[in-house]
Amino acid sequence: MCPDPATDRDGLAARVTHLEDVVGRLESLIEGLQDVIHSQAVRHDRDIGDLRDRTAPAQMARDLSDDARRRGL
């Protein structure tokens, strides 16, 4: 007995629709992951820049001088 072509088409269409939905959800998840990774990278770059600025020799000399003055040394 041969399968009914109309039923096969309906089943195929339903499977394609389901797969399109799955792909759409996966795309959304990937976009969210990309956003999180980008935010972390920006924050990391900012933190590294701040650390670099605070440990620059001229800045460290100013900070040590200010600290010594506050402590009365």
Side-chain angles (χ1 to χ4, degrees), residues 7-64:
T7 305
D8 284 350
R9 275 193 300 267
D10 291 343
L12 182 60
R15 289 175 55 197
V16 168
T17 300
H18 173 72
L19 289 173
E20 288 173 341
D21 291 343
V22 169
V23 169
R25 286 192 300 269
L26 289 172
E27 286 174 340
S28 294
L29 288 171
I30 289 170
E31 287 172 3
L33 182 59
Q34 288 173 327
D35 290 344
V36 168
I37 290 171
H38 175 73
S39 296
Q40 275 189 321
V42 168
R43 186 172 35 254
H44 182 261
D45 288 346
R46 185 186 61 237
D47 291 347
I48 293 296
D50 290 346
L51 182 59
R52 188 173 293 127
D53 292 344
R54 287 185 308 187
T55 57
Q59 184 62 45
M60 286 185 73
R62 281 191 297 274
D63 290 344
L64 289 170

